[in-house]
Amino acid sequence: MRNSLADVVAAGLRVLDAHGLEHCSMRRVAAELGVQPSALYHHVSDKQTLLALMADEIVGPATALGAAVADPRSCCIALREAMLAVRDGADVVATAAAFRLGASEAERRLAGLVGPDGARTLLLYTFGHAQSTQTHRQAAALGALIDPAALPRGGTTDPAAATDLDASFERGLDIILRGLGAPAQLNPVLGAAEPQNSVF
Amino acid sequence: MRNSLADVVAAGLRVLDAHGLEHCSMRRVAAELGVQPSALYHHVSDKQTLLALMADEIVGPATALGAAVADPRSCCIALREAMLAVRDGADVVATAAAFRLGASEAERRLAGLVGPDGARTLLLYTFGHAQSTQTHRQAAALGALIDPAALPRGGTTDPAAATDLDASFERGLDIILRGLGAPAQLNPVLGAAEPQNSVF
DNA sequence: ACCTGAACACCGTTCAAGT
DNA sequence: ACCTGAACACCGTTCAAGT
């Protein structure tokens, strides 16, 4: 045999991470495998299916059996980290999840902890924030390429912005968890009055 | 003059509503106006810009000055209704919002009511749930076309599913609002223990 | 089982040129 | 100011045919 389904999914993830979702075409994935575009359709019925399989792979690390995290907070943070680890990962996972594939293992786990409504609310927020984070990061990276004078001294890209987005995510997470009656999260730094600016 | 920017945006919305985002190409919008594809680039610099303008138009009804709703709950519900009113509207608005255009007027308003973190959390949830709702609706519509035997008697599409999604949205909304310390929403029907099934 | 080669019906965008 | 015509470099998917 020449290529397996796993090879196709792996090639898809390589192309995604290297070139982004916009350029992750069937033709590019085929080229990555050194094969004709039509060959992919022996392994996968269409592009949507391939993307769903890629989404499962992206989210795998966060939903692996070994990482049996008990609290919903760490669960969402792990999920977000898994999506942010690959270029445009949040878009791929969120789209696949809307079609019911992908993160449903994560949802089952969360539903056991906070009920179905809580699980859905947490997941939709987590996906949305991750997409927003990734959009802003690639906009920042593009801006840095166009206008490299923006960097005051060393450093590849502005580290403060990334920290802000991570903190912003956790604050929103704590709002939802508070609404679910979860134990209040101990946040020793900072007062609680109207911090930070908007993400959009 | 032959066509204005407003004409182009209006044509875009007509194509979107009739054929969906997937088939809302520059070439189709041009054909809708009876014009060559290249003519669009006189009015708009690229497709992304056109979609952002369309997103503003979709969300307009919900953020109009006349509809100065005071509470965040009605604000989110109005936003969701505006997105659901046009085919694939949630996708278009959510994508544009991630690029900072679109719903930022709505975010300013919400931030005044519940602070920036609350506004962001509410918006990301609202966008995500609307996208999920629209995905499920068009899957249901497709299923109804393929398998019309699923309908027990009259009715175009299953009305129960739509009701469930609307109720599911409001339950999640109330979780977040509770977390924000908003006045508890009076929900007279049903007990509170683990209702409904999953959306994903 | 896995792949090639060729085709079909499309894309977004650019650019010189017309009126 | 607004548009045409032609081109460039792409798409996803199908299908007969090869090995």
Side-chain angles (χ1 to χ4, degrees), chain A:
Chain A
M1 80 216 73
R2 320 251 255 254
N3 278 306
S4 67
L5 175 57
D7 293 330
V8 173
V9 175
L13 286 169
R14 262 177 281 140
V15 173
L16 179 69
D17 204 45
H19 305 286
L21 181 57
E22 194 185 4
H23 300 108
C24 186
S25 62
M26 296 298 269
R27 294 175 114 104
R28 280 222 195 197
V29 174
E32 173 76 18
L33 288 169
V35 121
Q36 294 291 332
S38 51
L40 298 184
Y41 292 86
H42 185 81
H43 302 280
V44 111
S45 62
D46 55 16
K47 190 183 182 181
Q48 193 184 123
T49 303
L50 175 55
L51 287 171
L53 293 170
M54 287 163 60
D56 284 335
E57 206 76 12
I58 290 168
V59 125
T63 58
L65 300 161
V69 271
D71 67 303
R73 197 173 193 274
S74 331
C75 195
C76 290
I77 290 174
L79 201 58
R80 191 176 99 110
E81 268 164 12
M83 291 189 282
L84 295 183
V86 1
R87 165 118 87 128
D88 290 337
D91 273 278
V92 173
V93 172
T95 302
F99 280 97
R100 278 168 144 77
L101 302 164
S104 58
E105 171 56 30
E107 193 184 18
R108 264 191 298 278
R109 195 130 93 202
L110 275 173
L113 299 171
V114 296
D117 289 332
R120 217 200 40 250
T121 306
L122 284 171
L123 274 185
L124 290 173
Y125 170 72
T126 301
F127 291 159
H129 203 289
Q131 283 182 271
S132 169
T133 298
Q134 240 161 9
T135 297
H136 278 248
R137 280 189 185 173
Q138 72 193 34
L142 215 94
L145 285 182
I146 290 170
D147 173 20
L151 314 170
R153 242 187 340 279
T156 50
T157 36
D158 185 7
T163 305
D164 280 2
L165 286 171
D166 291 350
S168 149
F169 173 67
E170 301 199 13
R171 287 197 303 273
L173 206 52
D174 288 332
I175 288 171
I176 298 173
L177 291 169
R178 212 180 302 135
L180 285 165
Q185 207 60 34
L186 33 158
N187 207 340
V189 201
L190 296 170
E194 304 294 80
Q196 308 297 341
N197 50 354
S198 169
V199 166
F200 287 106

Side-chain angles (χ1 to χ4, degrees), chain B residues 25 34 91 109 116 121 195:
Chain B
S25 62
D91 272 278
R109 193 129 93 205
T121 305

